[in-house]
Amino acid sequence: MQMHCFVGCSDSLGLASYEKKQETWKDKRYSKLERLEAGLARARSSIREAARNGSLKSTHEDPDYVPQGPIYRNANAFHRSYLEMEKLFKIYVYEEGEPPMFHNGPCKSIYSTEGRFIHEMEKGSVYRTTDPDQALLYFLPFSVVMMVQYLYVPDSHEIHAIEKTVIDYINLISHNHPFWNRSLGADHFMLSCHDWGPRASTSVPYLYNNSIRVLCNANTSEGFNPSKDVSFPEIHLRTGEMSGPLGGLSPSRRPILGFFAGRLHGHIRYLLLEQWKDKDKDLQVYDQLPNGLSYDSMLKKSRFCLCPSGYEVASPRVVEAIYAECVPVLISDNYVPPFNDVLNWKSFAVQVQVRDIANIKRILMGISQTQYLRMYRRVKQVQRHFMVNAAPQRFDVFHMTIHSIWLRRLNIRIQD
């Protein structure tokens, strides 16, 4: 297995120099895997070329959307990569395992993105193939949320049964198929929005160290590796679908500088509430909203929405803010936000380290009206990438997640 650096690097879209091998493909017989890898090599070359030829606007035609502007690290490279993904990317979903803990997941909870992704793959997304020899990647369709529901003993603080289930599943698919052992898991991925998703993966060292882990809990201090793992957006779908209209009041009709409402849930929120609860009329921070105030309406009339981490780094408030066209303020340490390999978060969000909680008002007041209006417009633009659609549409949250996974597959070369 060879490694390339297409994400987790300092240049645009995570692209780095890749030593190209000049080989003549016509007169030599290659295995299916080698032909797949040859297609990936051509895709890498095409993306690198796009990265060199511009950054603010894609030069590629597209009937649905042409990425442009500073919300992207490199709009041209992203669009070229997206088009290559649509052309080449195929995923095989292992059929082993039975519902409810496999091939199933929650769709009406804070963990809904986990369930919706699993269900989309099960329905037969355009990226799914039933021929494992045609696949570039292999999906391990277990749900940590469902394992917690059915295997965890409340208040035991032990997840041995969950870890053993993951171990047994990897043993099963590695016995039934050649693909896990061929790459030691490097061309496999798991997906979890539960706080214990990272812990569940530690039960199999190759899963933790080699496989792509798509995690809401994207905490670099707990082993999240941005060059290999994928940050997954946490979206709370209370009914299983997006409810209520997007957007909010226009900038001139947003009287609140910053807003947060949420119960005590971890050390960061404790610091935020201790510093700002009932302390400032411009920075309205609540542990519980007073009667008569609506959470959604407060989002829609605030300029900045505070999104502190809870016990774990991810928060559904980030996407809630984007839906309400309220500039998100990410208050966390060691958190890698979703689609960070493509999106330039600094262009449409404010990132505040925990040690600067006492300075939040000064930081927000220091953003000029002109800059705020730019960020507001960019939040509106970036909404499409976090949209949840009943049937996935190009560039929405499902496809952006697939694209992040695709970029990690570009990072490696698998050999027989």
Side-chain angles (χ1 to χ4, degrees):
M1 180 182 70
Q2 295 179 356
M3 300 292 296
H4 314 302
C5 191
F6 264 65
V7 290
C9 307
S10 59
D11 55 328
S12 59
L13 194 59
L15 299 177
S17 60
Y18 167 60
E19 189 174 331
K20 292 189 289 185
K21 293 185 177 180
Q22 299 297 329
E23 297 184 25
T24 303
W25 302 98
K26 292 182 179 179
D27 299 320
K28 189 175 180 181
R29 297 188 62 179
Y30 284 88
S31 68
K32 290 181 179 179
L33 175 61
E34 288 170 321
R35 285 195 291 272
L36 292 174
E37 289 294 339
L40 285 180
R42 290 189 289 272
R44 292 186 192 105
S45 178
S46 177
I47 297 166
R48 281 196 306 275
E49 183 67 22
R52 288 192 291 266
N53 289 342
S55 61
L56 284 180
K57 184 175 181 179
S58 171
T59 59
H60 306 95
E61 294 183 1
D62 197 301
D64 296 322
Y65 176 66
V66 176
Q68 59 182 306
I71 69 165
Y72 301 105
R73 293 180 179 273
N74 188 311
N76 200 40
F78 163 54
H79 200 192
R80 181 70 262 162
S81 175
Y82 191 96
L83 296 174
E84 293 289 346
M85 172 191 74
E86 290 184 315
K87 182 170 62 176
L88 296 175
F89 203 27
K90 293 298 178 185
I91 298 168
Y92 179 75
V93 181
Y94 285 112
E95 297 178 356
E96 287 80 357
E98 297 293 333
M101 294 187 295
F102 298 86
H103 308 284
N104 184 39
C107 291
K108 297 181 181 180
S109 75
I110 198 171
Y111 307 120
S112 59
T113 43
E114 175 179 320
R116 290 191 71 97
F117 186 93
I118 293 172
H119 284 288
E120 287 301 333
M121 293 305 300
E122 291 294 326
K123 284 194 305 186
S125 103
V126 294
Y127 301 104
R128 183 175 179 178
T129 178
T130 56
D131 181 357
D133 287 321
Q134 295 298 323
L136 286 168
L137 212 61
Y138 302 85
F139 180 39
L140 305 165
F142 58 79
S143 169
V144 175
V145 173
M146 301 306 289
M147 289 182 186
V148 171
Q149 181 176 335
Y150 286 93
L151 298 178
Y152 177 66
V153 178
D155 300 320
S156 68
H157 306 291
E158 296 288 351
I159 65 166
H160 296 320
I162 296 171
E163 292 173 331
K164 187 176 186 306
T165 301
V166 174
I167 292 170
D168 289 345
Y169 190 72
I170 299 299
N171 286 339
L172 177 64
I173 61 105
S174 65
H175 179 268
N176 290 352
H177 305 272
F179 311 107
W180 177 272
N181 292 330
R182 181 180 68 184
S183 68
L184 299 180
D187 54 355
H188 289 61
F189 75 98
M190 62 163 282
L191 178 142
S192 176
C193 213
H194 197 279
D195 292 351
W196 293 346
R199 283 184 62 189
S201 71
T202 62
S203 58
V204 180
Y206 286 136
L207 178 62
Y208 180 84
N209 292 312
N210 292 357
S211 298
I212 299 166
R213 299 178 306 152
V214 184
L215 303 170
C216 287
N217 187 14
N219 188 341
T220 56
S221 71
E222 296 179 359
F224 183 87
N225 179 355
S227 67
K228 177 185 74 68
D229 300 325
V230 169
S231 178
F232 191 36
E234 190 171 285
I235 304 175
H236 191 180
L237 298 178
R238 293 169 177 82
T239 65
E241 304 291 340
M242 284 185 58
S243 58
L246 292 176
L249 300 178
S250 64
S252 62
R253 298 172 59 208
R254 291 179 180 250
I256 301 170
L257 174 67
F259 166 70
F260 169 78
R263 62 186 176 86
L264 186 62
H265 188 74
H267 182 62
I268 296 176
R269 289 198 198 174
Y270 169 80
L271 295 175
L272 180 66
L273 290 166
E274 181 183 50
Q275 181 71 40
W276 291 106
K277 180 188 171 187
D278 300 327
K279 301 285 180 65
D280 194 289
K281 63 181 179 62
D282 295 320
L283 209 59
Q284 298 194 20
V285 173
Y286 304 90
D287 57 356
Q288 185 172 352
L289 274 177
N291 290 335
L293 289 185
S294 159
Y295 179 76
D296 288 339
S297 68
M298 291 293 285
L299 291 175
K300 293 175 184 292
K301 63 183 180 182
S302 299
R303 294 158 71 90
F304 298 93
C305 290
L306 309 186
C307 308
S309 295
Y311 284 112
E312 301 296 347
V313 291
S315 169
R317 284 170 174 78
V318 177
V319 177
E320 288 172 351
I322 291 172
Y323 287 170
E325 294 168 3
C326 180
V327 175
V329 181
L330 280 58
I331 308 172
S332 64
D333 291 332
N334 309 307
Y335 177 50
V336 178
F339 319 138
N340 190 54
D341 36 48
V342 165
L343 298 180
N344 175 21
W345 278 81
K346 291 181 180 179
S347 73
F348 61 87
V350 180
Q351 295 177 295
V352 175
Q353 293 186 310
V354 174
R355 67 171 181 262
D356 288 327
I357 283 176
N359 300 318
I360 287 177
K361 183 175 180 179
R362 180 180 60 80
I363 292 169
L364 299 184
M365 292 291 288
I367 297 172
S368 69
Q369 176 71 0
T370 300
Q371 180 61 14
Y372 163 70
L373 291 174
R374 289 194 192 103
M375 298 179 82
Y376 169 81
R377 289 192 294 267
R378 293 165 186 168
V379 168
K380 290 170 65 74
Q381 182 185 356
V382 86
Q383 274 180 348
R384 72 166 59 242
H385 297 316
F386 292 89
M387 292 290 291
V388 177
N389 294 300
Q393 299 176 17
R394 298 179 71 223
F395 298 100
D396 69 2
V397 70
F398 175 76
H399 288 85
M400 290 296 288
T401 301
I402 292 285
H403 181 260
S404 287
I405 298 168
W406 152 259
L407 287 179
R408 273 71 184 172
R409 180 59 178 88
L410 287 176
N411 262 10
I412 60 175
R413 177 167 180 165
I414 305 300
Q415 296 175 320
D416 281 322

